Amino acid sequence: MNIEWLNYFITLVEIKNFSSASKKLCITPSTLSKAINQLENEFKQKLIVRSNKFERLTPAGEILFENSKNIVRDFDLLNSKINDLSIGEPSGEVRIQTSFYYSVSFLASFILKMSKLYPKIKFIIYDNASNKEDLILNNKIDIAFVSQKPKNKQIDFFQGKTFK
């Protein structure tokens, strides 16, 4: 069975219209109809009552719909786990901008722990750059520890622990 057919089936049942479902899926109505026919051939059961349009699910279609979301979710999870194995251990550079205060207070401990967990990651520390927002927006640094919220709304900001 093709897992994509289940995705098509789920979308069709949720939308209840072949044209609208095929548009959402970015496929032709013919492709959608063929996929549904393939599922019906696979299960040797009619899944959908239809004339020129979607009318309702058959009892077999109801059972398939009730279970297909879990099947697709589990397949995606399985696929993700297997792909994670092929990717291997995280590696590369993490560029951090900070001030001396953060470096001394917790960053050194954090980097030491992370380096033990992920020895292929190289941490590069930049000290107290005045143009932090420009460096982030231009992908020159990955993380910046700042004392106030950035002015630029494109920058994700997390309010962490404050020191006194």
Side-chain angles (χ1 to χ4, degrees), residues 32-67:
L32 177 57
S33 184
K34 286 177 186 173
I36 300 304
N37 287 335
Q38 292 288 352
L39 276 173
E40 290 175 333
N41 290 337
E42 182 83 21
F43 290 107
K44 296 176 181 50
Q45 295 277 332
K46 284 289 179 194
L47 301 171
I48 297 171
V49 176
R50 57 186 177 216
S51 52
N52 290 342
K53 62 178 185 165
F54 181 101
E55 290 184 22
R56 69 182 184 282
L57 290 174
T58 65
E62 289 176 13
I63 291 170
L64 181 61
F65 182 66
E66 288 172 17
N67 292 280

Side-chain angles (χ1 to χ4, degrees), residues 98-109:
T98 187
S99 67
F100 178 74
Y101 184 76
Y102 280 108
S103 298
V104 172
S105 60
F106 97 101
L107 191 58
S109 170

Side-chain angles (χ1 to χ4, degrees), residues 132-150:
K132 297 172 198 80
E133 290 187 30
D134 290 338
L135 293 171
I136 291 172
L137 291 170
N138 292 312
N139 295 317
K140 302 290 182 191
I141 56 175
D142 303 302
I143 301 169
F145 292 94
V146 295
S147 57
Q148 60 190 26
K149 188 173 183 173

